[in-house]
Amino acid sequence: MKRDFEAKKEALMKEVRSVLSDVEALTKDNVERGVEETRALREKLQDQLDRAQNKLQEFESQASEQIRHRVKQADELVQDKPYYAMGFAALAGLVVGILLNRR
């Protein structure tokens, strides 16, 4: 699951880098190119930007769905075994207290 997340993140970053490089090319070559070429490049850039936005929205929805799932699992665990959750919280508090007192 983490590999899939990382692969999607890398694909999105690649798309964003591509859009940024095209924007840079558009600004550098804008003076030298004709109106038609600039318009075609602008359309290509808009298409790439739309694809990147769609990938970002998909990535965001998948990430939020995974977070909701994990939160639900944690909530069910705490509901099923409340004493384990209280013990873990107490242990974490003890460790943090000891670390803070060392300062």
Side-chain angles (χ1 to χ4, degrees):
M1 185 180 291
K2 186 172 181 158
R3 288 185 196 140
D4 186 41
F5 181 77
E6 291 295 324
K8 288 181 181 181
K9 182 177 102 174
E10 187 60 37
L12 178 62
M13 292 307 296
K14 184 178 178 183
E15 190 75 30
V16 169
R17 284 186 205 107
S18 173
V19 169
L20 290 176
S21 70
D22 285 347
V23 166
E24 186 177 335
L26 178 65
T27 57
K28 285 182 180 179
D29 298 338
N30 196 19
V31 175
E32 297 172 6
R33 294 180 183 242
V35 175
E36 290 299 319
E37 290 179 14
T38 303
R39 190 171 294 138
L41 186 57
R42 212 175 270 153
E43 288 173 6
K44 176 185 170 191
L45 182 61
Q46 186 63 44
D47 288 343
Q48 287 180 338
L49 185 59
D50 291 341
R51 281 196 311 266
Q53 285 175 337
N54 289 337
K55 284 184 181 180
L56 180 62
Q57 288 173 352
E58 180 182 318
F59 182 70
E60 182 181 17
S61 67
Q62 287 177 353
S64 65
E65 185 63 35
Q66 287 179 355
I67 290 170
R68 277 191 222 108
H69 179 68
R70 299 292 183 214
V71 167
K72 185 177 178 184
Q73 283 180 331
D75 186 50
E76 288 173 357
L77 181 65
V78 169
Q79 294 292 329
D80 291 343
K81 300 178 182 182
Y83 293 111
Y84 286 145
M86 290 183 342
F88 181 72
L91 181 62
L94 179 66
V95 169
V96 169
I98 290 171
L99 291 175
L100 289 176
N101 280 334
R102 284 186 157 187
R103 287 182 153 200

